[in-house]
Amino acid sequence: MEIIFLLELFIIFSMIAIGGRYGGIGLGVAGGLGMCILVLVFGMKPASLPVNVVFIILAVITCVSVLQSAGGLDLLVKIAEKILKRKPQAISFMGPFICALFTIFCGTTYVAFSIYPVIAEVAAQAKIRPERALSASVVAAGIGVIASPMSAATATMIAILAFSGVGVLQILMISLPAFLIGVFCACLSVFKRGKELEQDEEFQRKVRLGEYHFINENSQQQDCENDFKAKRSLYIFALGILAIIFFGTFTNLLPHYELANGDMERLSTPNLIQMLMLATACLIMLFAKVPANKLGEASVFRSGLVGVVGVFGVAWMTGTFFEAYKLFFSDALSHIVEDYPYLFGLILFAFSMVIFSPSATVAALMPLGVSLGIPPQILIVLYPCVCGDFIVPGANQIACVSFDRTGTTKIGKFVINHSYLRPGFVLIISATIVGYVLSKIYF
């Protein structure tokens, strides 16, 4: 029993490690290989497929991709650029908050990617060390998924906690203000970080050797703000989000159905989100007159599908493993969790460091938390802990190092000693503390 358990556990972590090297699709297919080994070799019974989670994510990314095709995301970026350039001295705070709002509104960190170069250049023009604004901005955009009703991670949380009677509003009442306060704390933590730009040796060297030149932006780009279709798509998208929050809060307004045994069952929250997102996408497509050939070309759709594959494979594999050893984990961890339930946050954080995906971490471990009897309000408090993927630099972190032409944003020779470490830890710790306080008020 012990040897088999250790072998199966080794397979789980091996598949996660292998898949983590390749990203979303790599995680998904590695999870599939792990499933084959667990089921066909060790005879485990496959767990139920994470159908609700996968279809919610599909519906959300479909809606956001239609919004992108309509020009709505481009309009958001243009508005953000104007705001940042209007108050360049406040870039260390405005940059992270704008990136956070992008993620909250659209549910994906990819939207904020287009604003990182702007943050880097605006900071440099204002003689402010770009590392300060960039590091906090990347972290805020990445962890912002916990505060977005549109994100895959929140969709997964909704699906998991729906059986506990917890809806989207209860989650956001804690996660949203906790996250925003966490962003503010992260900004404070880097506000005076490092030397001032003009005193930085690396920057002085680049200027002296002619490797750095300030950009003189005189080019006029087409103003998307005057694009009526883009504005219309944003309005429709915002109404769709409000509809999800409204019906997710006032569930008594949802249709109820009589079951075969005579009991009444209301429309489930996952089904509600799926329908509203697809309906919102359709309205954007019709009223913003999105060309048919653009519907499948949006970059958000392609990147979102990668995430779906990752969640699908990993969640299925880990779900199968935890389901097989449900009694074992319950007996082993129940006493610890009963006395110290917040230690579960360390498990979430450590797992997310390896799996590189908040949504996959939620899908894999939050059901375990529910089965261990951890109250839903504590799981919501620990929600920020699923965002430990900033520890090992990913695509966004690496890209922002190149966006910062001054050379102040760095990844150290030990890889994990990078510019994003401090704001990441500060944001997660402060958001968890604030979430704990809010949970005592709301629950």
Side-chain angles (χ1 to χ4, degrees), residues 356-399:
F356 301 110
S357 171
S359 56
T361 302
V362 172
L365 291 186
M366 284 299 182
L368 175 63
V370 173
S371 65
L372 290 173
I374 300 177
Q377 63 267 29
I378 294 182
L379 293 177
I380 298 173
V381 170
L382 298 177
Y383 189 17
C385 298
V386 305
C387 298
D389 53 332
F390 69 90
I391 298 294
V392 179
N396 288 346
Q397 289 99 320
I398 295 171

Side-chain angles (χ1 to χ4, degrees), residues 1-12 33-45 320-321 324-325:
M1 163 71 176
E2 292 182 1
I3 296 177
I4 294 177
F5 173 80
L6 292 175
L7 282 174
E8 292 167 344
L9 189 63
F10 174 76
I11 290 167
I12 295 288
L33 177 58
M35 277 295 296
C36 288
I37 298 173
L38 293 177
V39 174
L40 300 179
V41 177
F42 292 96
M44 280 189 175
K45 180 183 177 182
T320 297
F321 178 76
Y325 291 100

Side-chain angles (χ1 to χ4, degrees), residues 20 31 75 117 144 146 154 167 179 209 228 232 261 314 364 387 401 419 438:
L75 176 58
I146 68 167
T154 300
F179 166 70
L209 297 177
F228 182 70
R232 185 182 292 177
N261 59 4
V314 170
C387 298
V401 172
S419 297
L438 293 175

Side-chain angles (χ1 to χ4, degrees), residues 256-297:
H256 288 67
Y257 311 100
E258 185 175 355
L259 301 178
N261 59 4
D263 294 338
M264 297 297 292
E265 182 183 61
R266 67 169 176 82
L267 177 68
S268 67
T269 302
N271 286 345
L272 169 70
I273 296 174
Q274 292 158 11
M275 290 188 299
L276 285 176
M277 281 293 92
L278 291 177
T280 302
C282 184
L283 292 176
I284 293 174
M285 179 180 67
L286 294 175
F287 288 98
K289 299 179 180 179
V290 182
N293 61 334
K294 285 189 175 182
L295 290 176
E297 297 178 355

Side-chain angles (χ1 to χ4, degrees), residues 16-190:
I16 291 173
I18 292 171
R21 295 176 58 191
Y22 295 92
I25 290 181
L27 281 171
V29 297
L33 177 58
M35 277 295 296
C36 288
I37 298 173
L38 293 177
V39 174
L40 300 179
V41 177
F42 292 96
M44 280 189 175
K45 180 183 177 182
S48 300
L49 289 168
V51 176
N52 274 337
V53 174
V54 168
F55 281 117
I56 287 176
I57 298 172
L58 276 175
V60 170
I61 64 172
T62 299
C63 187
V64 177
S65 65
V66 173
L67 176 69
Q68 183 182 23
S69 300
L73 296 188
D74 292 335
L75 176 58
L76 278 179
V77 172
K78 290 296 178 183
I79 294 172
E81 287 183 12
K82 290 183 178 180
I83 295 173
L84 289 173
K85 292 176 180 178
R86 194 173 299 164
K87 296 286 185 180
Q89 296 300 325
I91 189 69
S92 297
F93 286 89
M94 292 181 64
F97 271 100
I98 287 176
C99 290
L101 291 176
F102 270 30
T103 301
I104 291 172
F105 188 71
C106 298
T108 174
T109 61
Y110 299 106
V111 182
F113 192 85
S114 55
I115 208 69
Y116 295 149
V118 179
I119 293 173
E121 294 302 329
V122 170
Q125 295 285 347
K127 304 296 191 297
I128 295 173
R129 188 180 180 90
E131 178 191 27
R132 299 169 181 172
L134 270 180
S135 61
S137 296
V138 173
V139 166
I143 303 178
V145 295
I146 68 167
S148 172
M150 309 299 298
S151 71
T154 300
T156 309
M157 281 287 286
I158 293 170
I160 293 170
L161 298 182
F163 298 102
S164 302
V166 174
V168 61
L169 185 63
Q170 288 91 335
I171 295 173
L172 293 180
M173 280 195 310
I174 294 177
S175 65
L176 179 57
F179 166 70
L180 292 176
I181 294 174
V183 172
F184 181 75
C185 293
C187 294
L188 284 178
S189 73
V190 297

